[in-house]
Amino acid sequence: MAFKLGDVIIDRAQFGYGQTKAGVPLYALTQLNEFSIEITADSTDITDARGNLVYRKYTGKKGEVTAQNAFMNLAVISAIAATDAEIATDENTIIMPVLTTVKAGETLNIEGYVKDSVVVSGIYNGALGTQYTLAAAGAATKTEFAISDNTLTPPTADGETEYFVKYMKNVKSGAKVTINGKDYPKAHELFVKALAVDPCDKGNFRAAVIHISDFMPSPEVTLALTGGDSQTMDYKGSILTDTCSTNQAMVEVYFIDEVEEDV
């Protein structure tokens, strides 16, 4: 029997996927909390002499996408920033800032640190105190910290219980994403897969796939470094009309009437 159009229950959005027009993968959203599409249009009303609505003409369809990922996603930030992420490797290290603390009387491993980049200050109850200098040679003193064999020894100052340490480090595993003021995101294809349920077969999932052939992500992004149980990152953008196609497609909805595993 041929599939018939009818009611479908959406259990949840499973994941999203962005790619260039050439099919090069950009990012995957595997922790979607929500995903919605809103299509709007401009209207022109035609009324009679008494102001009664006789006809309404619609033009100018527009589409907006609003999504929320449960976690911050560095690949999405890179796409929004329109800059390629720099990936740190053994052969291509990236200089990155390190912020940490060390208790008085203990030492700190600062392997890979950049010379002359180490700053040590006393810290107490959230306030920075005295900034100390690097000892030219030998052990740490009450006014100097020492570095030997990639190990930092803090000063032995009276009354200090903890020190704040900031330095630059050659990182071999990690990434750097830059958001600048001159580059803006580029249009690309966006796919979103949802798990759907047939009301007459609630025990099995089906796949519902949304395809947007021309998606322009918004350059606006909020990086919420909040911790706790809320790690969400909002993701939004506009749906562009594909004027190069004969039907000027904006959104395509696919429903695959086959049992889908919940992965």
Side-chain angles (χ1 to χ4, degrees):
M1 183 190 303
F3 178 77
K4 295 182 179 180
L5 298 178
D7 293 333
V8 172
I9 299 169
I10 299 298
D11 182 83
R12 68 185 185 279
Q14 193 176 32
F15 48 75
Y17 172 79
Q19 68 175 33
T20 67
K21 291 289 187 176
V24 179
L26 293 173
Y27 56 84
L29 296 168
T30 61
Q31 297 290 330
L32 281 174
N33 279 338
E34 59 182 60
F35 181 89
S36 63
I37 295 174
E38 182 180 15
I39 304 294
T40 61
D42 300 325
S43 65
T44 301
D45 293 345
I46 298 175
T47 59
D48 64 13
R50 293 178 176 272
N52 299 310
L53 180 64
V54 177
Y55 183 73
R56 174 167 288 170
K57 177 182 179 181
Y58 285 102
T59 56
K61 281 187 178 181
K62 301 178 183 66
E64 298 294 328
V65 169
T66 302
Q68 187 182 78
N69 204 54
F71 305 131
M72 182 187 296
N73 188 301
L74 295 177
V76 172
I77 296 173
S78 179
I80 291 173
T83 57
D84 293 332
E86 298 178 56
I87 306 300
T89 64
D90 288 340
E91 296 75 25
N92 180 43
T93 61
I94 299 176
I95 296 177
M96 300 187 186
V98 176
L99 310 174
T100 187
T101 60
V102 58
K103 293 181 179 179
E106 297 183 358
T107 60
L108 180 68
N109 185 341
I110 57 171
E111 183 177 357
Y113 78 98
V114 176
K115 185 179 179 181
D116 298 329
S117 70
V118 183
V119 177
V120 176
S121 303
I123 185 171
Y124 177 76
N125 198 27
L128 287 176
T130 303
Q131 180 177 330
Y132 296 90
T133 57
L134 174 63
T141 68
K142 290 186 176 182
T143 59
E144 298 173 316
F145 63 93
I147 298 177
S148 177
D149 296 328
N150 293 318
T151 299
L152 182 147
T153 302
T156 57
D158 296 333
E160 299 280 23
T161 59
E162 190 174 26
Y163 298 89
F164 184 83
V165 181
K166 178 263 178 184
Y167 62 97
M168 305 301 290
K169 175 179 179 177
N170 287 290
V171 175
K172 298 181 179 179
S173 179
K176 176 185 176 183
V177 180
T178 301
I179 301 175
N180 60 46
K182 64 183 181 68
D183 292 315
Y184 291 87
K186 298 176 178 63
H188 57 265
E189 291 187 69
L190 178 63
F191 297 82
V192 175
K193 177 187 174 184
L195 294 179
V197 176
D198 184 330
C200 298
D201 183 15
K202 300 182 180 71
N204 293 302
F205 289 120
R206 265 74 172 174
V209 178
I210 305 294
H211 175 223
I212 301 171
S213 60
D214 258 336
F215 174 67
M216 178 64 78
S218 168
E220 299 173 336
V221 61
T222 299
L223 305 181
L225 308 180
T226 57
D229 59 358
S230 179
Q231 302 280 327
T232 59
M233 185 182 78
D234 293 333
Y235 187 46
K236 56 187 178 180
S238 300
I239 300 170
L240 308 180
T241 302
D242 187 1
T243 56
C244 296
S245 67
T246 55
N247 62 357
Q248 296 191 356
M250 296 177 68
V251 180
E252 295 170 321
V253 181
Y254 299 91
F255 183 85
I256 304 173
D257 191 21
E258 299 173 359
V259 175
E260 178 78 15
E261 294 293 329
D262 182 9
V263 294

